[in-house]
Amino acid sequence: MRAFLLFLISLFFLGIIAAGLGTAWGWRAVQAPGPLTEHKTVLIGKGAGLAAITRELASEGVVANRLLFLAAARLSGKDKQLQAGEYDFPAGASMLQALDMMAKGQVLLRQVTVPEGLTSWQIVQILNKTDGLTGEITDIPSEGSLLPETYSFTRDEARPELIKRMQAAMQKALDRLWTQRDETSPALSRDEIVILASIVEKETGVAAERKRIAGVFVNRLQKNIPLQSDPTVIYGLTSGKIQTEGMGPLGRRLLSKDLETDSPYNTYRNAGLPPGPIANPGRESLEAALKPERNEFIYFVADGTGGHVFATTLDEHNRNVAQWRKLRSRESGVVSRE
């Protein structure tokens, strides 16, 4: 009897040791690098339970031992915390790392970049073609209501919701900049500032020129001189539906006859600002419109290198235009910005 009791006691302690060794092995296994040799994007569907998640991770090669993953999830208490979404598991991700990512909802953030100066119609074309978004934008947002920048989104976010975020971002940016205006700011309403900023945005791709060009347009507004801005004429002709075949927004060059078009956006025929924005301006152009450079310039024309040359008198401007035309002498149908 004594020998039998010793045998049972020995078995008990061996069982404890085995359990301890098993636990230690299991703990090391859930922390050990997993089978992925490179990062892997996996979509965990909404409503998926632990068993379904485990099967998906195993089929995608994230998890090698399904039973051990199930045990680790339950013992860690994370089995009820796992969130749906798209996850980008890194190479060698351990079971514990995968569980931690899903419990914290560290889903993959996609991005879409909206450049400054695009029309709302152009932005809608970009978003409707962006992979990972759902739904379709059927109504074109008001021109000038969307803030151009890079936006992060999660897979299956609705496109209309992203539009709302872009509109909210524009309002927030305007709110901040509007509170910073001072006595040097032009006597324009908030809506007029957006219109002016959109023209500045379309007139130059050189950041250092934005405030100077804004100053030129403010000078013209104060003197009741037509702005004579080509981009406004183009907007009147296209309504923002820009051509993308590499021949300019019209699909051709702007011609002299276009400057005679009867349109409220034709700032060659009409003094003052056009009735609305001609694009969606970025933060820097909004700031330039609110705090333009104080200068005496009335004219500017392209210099052939992407920038512009500025003038205070018509004679000086005409010389600049002549110089620019020499650079473009081989091309026909080109009109100067005046």
Side-chain angles (χ1 to χ4, degrees):
M1 180 63 69
R2 184 177 179 181
F4 181 68
L5 287 174
L6 288 173
F7 175 71
L8 290 178
I9 292 170
S10 299
L11 284 179
F12 175 74
F13 281 109
L14 286 173
I16 291 175
I17 293 170
L21 291 173
T23 300
W25 171 84
W27 181 244
R28 285 196 301 271
V30 297
Q31 294 184 89
L36 287 178
T37 57
E38 58 183 17
H39 77 95
K40 182 82 171 185
T41 301
V42 179
L43 179 63
I44 303 299
K46 293 181 180 179
L50 178 59
I53 292 173
T54 303
R55 284 195 300 272
E56 183 66 21
L57 294 181
S59 68
E60 294 290 345
V62 179
V63 169
N65 189 319
R66 290 168 57 180
L67 290 177
L68 188 57
F69 183 83
L70 286 166
R74 292 195 174 103
L75 290 173
S76 66
K78 293 179 178 178
D79 55 320
K80 305 298 184 184
Q81 303 172 22
L82 305 183
Q83 301 177 44
E86 187 178 27
Y87 292 89
D88 188 22
F89 297 104
S94 67
M95 296 185 199
L96 197 61
Q97 186 177 359
L99 283 169
D100 192 52
M101 287 177 66
M102 289 186 291
K104 292 178 179 178
Q106 294 176 340
V107 294
L108 174 65
L109 289 178
R110 295 169 175 247
Q111 290 187 327
V112 58
T113 297
V114 177
E116 293 89 346
L118 297 186
T119 65
S120 292
W121 181 85
Q122 287 178 293
I123 292 173
V124 167
Q125 308 315 302
I126 290 174
L127 296 186
N128 278 340
K129 294 176 183 177
T130 299
D131 185 48
L133 292 169
T134 60
E136 187 174 358
I137 305 163
T138 55
D139 296 325
I140 304 300
S142 300
E143 204 69 76
S145 67
L146 309 174
L147 184 68
E149 61 181 19
T150 297
Y151 291 86
S152 296
F153 65 92
T154 57
R155 185 185 176 97
D156 294 335
E157 180 175 347
R159 290 181 173 89
E161 290 303 313
L162 184 51
I163 285 288
K164 289 180 181 179
R165 283 206 282 135
M166 296 175 70
Q167 290 173 325
M170 175 60 88
Q171 289 303 312
K172 185 177 180 180
L174 277 172
D175 288 343
R176 181 182 64 82
L177 290 170
W178 190 249
T179 60
Q180 296 174 5
R181 69 190 190 284
D182 54 30
E183 66 278 359
T184 65
S185 299
L188 299 174
S189 70
R190 181 168 163 145
D191 288 342
E192 289 172 330
I193 287 296
V194 178
I195 296 173
L196 176 57
S198 72
I199 299 173
V200 171
E201 192 74 78
K202 296 299 289 185
E203 282 285 2
T204 183
V206 180
E209 287 189 345
R210 289 190 177 107
K211 290 192 174 185
R212 175 161 293 186
I213 286 179
V216 173
F217 286 135
V218 169
N219 291 340
R220 281 179 165 260
L221 289 172
Q222 291 173 343
K223 296 177 183 294
N224 202 33
I225 301 173
L227 299 186
Q228 296 185 313
S229 169
D230 291 359
T232 66
V233 177
I234 292 170
Y235 189 84
L237 293 170
T238 64
S239 298
K241 296 181 180 180
I242 303 300
Q243 299 292 323
T244 57
E245 286 79 17
M247 291 294 293
L250 290 173
R252 58 172 174 80
R253 293 201 177 279
L254 186 67
L255 305 176
S256 297
K257 66 180 182 179
D258 295 323
L259 305 186
E260 301 301 322
T261 305
D262 185 14
S263 165
Y265 285 90
N266 186 345
T267 54
Y268 281 83
R269 295 187 61 174
N270 306 298
L273 292 168
I278 62 170
N280 291 277
R283 297 176 191 271
E284 290 186 359
S285 289
L286 289 168
E287 185 176 357
L290 271 167
K291 293 191 175 182
E293 177 184 283
R294 301 183 71 175
N295 58 55
E296 301 298 325
F297 297 126
I298 301 296
Y299 308 95
F300 64 93
V301 68
D303 63 5
T305 66
H308 297 83
V309 287
F310 298 81
T312 57
T313 68
L314 183 57
D315 286 343
E316 184 184 2
H317 175 61
N318 286 337
R319 289 194 295 272
N320 292 337
V321 171
Q323 182 63 33
W324 177 70
R325 283 175 174 164
K326 287 180 182 178
L327 295 173
R328 305 295 295 274
S329 60
R330 294 183 181 178
E331 301 178 40
S332 60
V334 179
V335 294
S336 64
R337 287 196 181 104
E338 300 182 352

